[in-house]
Amino acid sequence: MSDTYELKAEARERVGKGSARELRRNGKVPAVIYGDKQPPMAITLPSKEVTLKIRGGGFMTTVATIDVDGKKIQVLPKDYQLDPVRDFTMHVDFLRVGKNTVVTVEVPVHFENEEASPGIKQGGVLNVVRHTVEVHCPADKIPDAFVADLTGLEIGDGIHISNITLPEGVEPTITDRDFTIATIAAPAVLTAEEEAEGQEAPEADEVEAIEQNDEAEEEGGEEK
C-alpha cells in the first residue's frame, strides 16, 4: 500500500453552491467525509495540498488521515471533481475507514519484462485490455499495483487475472470468468498483408466481361 499522509481540515457549517464558490475563491476545497455508520461531515481542505496529492498518483488507493480541528479521521478518497476548463479541484468525497472496513478500488496494472517476450521481439504489440483491475480488499491492504510478467509470451498469447498474483484478502469484483488483462497482438503491417492476400484477384474472363460491359454502356450513351 502507498505511504499514508495527513491533511489539515476545518469543519464547515455552511453548505451549498454559494458557499462552495466562496471557499474556492479563498483557495480551499469543499469536501465530505461519510460512511462507517456515522453522519456525514462537511469539511474544507487547502486546495494546493489536495491538488498536489491528486496529481502525485495513487490518490484513490491511499488511506489518509484528515485532522479536523484536532480530531484525526482515517479516510480513503472515493471521488473528486475537477473544473473542466481550469483543472482545479472542486470537491472531494472521502470514506471513513474503520478497523474492518472492506473497500472496492481500482488497482493499476504494471507490465514488466517486455524484452523477454518473444512475441514483442518479433514485432508484436502489447494490447492492454485493462489498465486497472477492480477489487474488494481491506482498506489497510490496498495494493499499489498488480504486476503482469510478459516473459515468454508469443504473438496471440494473453495475460488473464489468473496469471496475476493477488495478495491475501484481495479479490477481483469479477468472479464469473478468467478475464483478460492484455494480449500480444500481431503487428498491424502483418495484419494488412494478410488481408491483402485473402483478397483473390479477378479471373481473366471476369475482367474481359467487365470491360465489354463498360464499352457497351459507353456506346449506348453515345447513340442517345
Side-chain angles (χ1 to χ4, degrees), residues 4-143:
T4 187
Y5 59 90
E6 183 172 313
L7 292 172
K8 292 279 188 180
E10 298 174 357
R12 61 186 173 106
E13 297 179 359
R14 294 175 56 203
V15 295
K17 292 183 178 179
S19 174
R21 282 195 293 266
E22 183 179 351
L23 287 171
R24 295 185 193 109
R25 284 195 296 267
N26 294 326
K28 297 182 179 180
V29 177
V32 174
I33 300 174
Y34 66 93
D36 201 26
K37 300 180 180 178
Q38 298 182 44
M41 177 185 294
I43 62 172
T44 63
L45 295 163
S47 178
K48 183 177 181 180
E49 290 185 32
V50 174
T51 301
L52 286 174
K53 293 298 181 185
I54 291 173
R55 293 177 178 173
F59 182 68
M60 301 295 288
T61 56
T62 303
V63 174
T65 300
I66 295 184
D67 185 337
V68 186
D69 301 326
K71 181 182 179 181
K72 297 190 176 184
I73 306 171
Q74 278 201 309
V75 299
L76 179 70
K78 291 301 292 181
D79 193 18
Y80 63 87
Q81 298 172 11
L82 299 178
D83 183 273
V85 178
R86 289 173 289 176
D87 197 36
F88 64 84
T89 308
M90 296 182 65
H91 190 275
V92 185
D93 290 339
F94 294 99
L95 175 69
R96 285 188 185 89
V97 173
K99 184 178 179 180
N100 300 313
T101 302
V102 174
V103 296
T104 301
V105 295
E106 291 191 356
V107 178
V109 181
H110 293 171
F111 299 91
E112 61 179 29
N113 296 326
E114 289 191 26
E115 70 284 355
S117 165
I120 292 178
K121 284 184 177 180
Q122 294 168 11
V125 178
L126 177 62
N127 176 38
V128 180
V129 179
R130 294 176 183 270
H131 292 276
T132 62
V133 175
E134 188 179 69
V135 297
H136 300 307
C137 65
D140 60 347
K141 294 182 180 179
I142 301 174

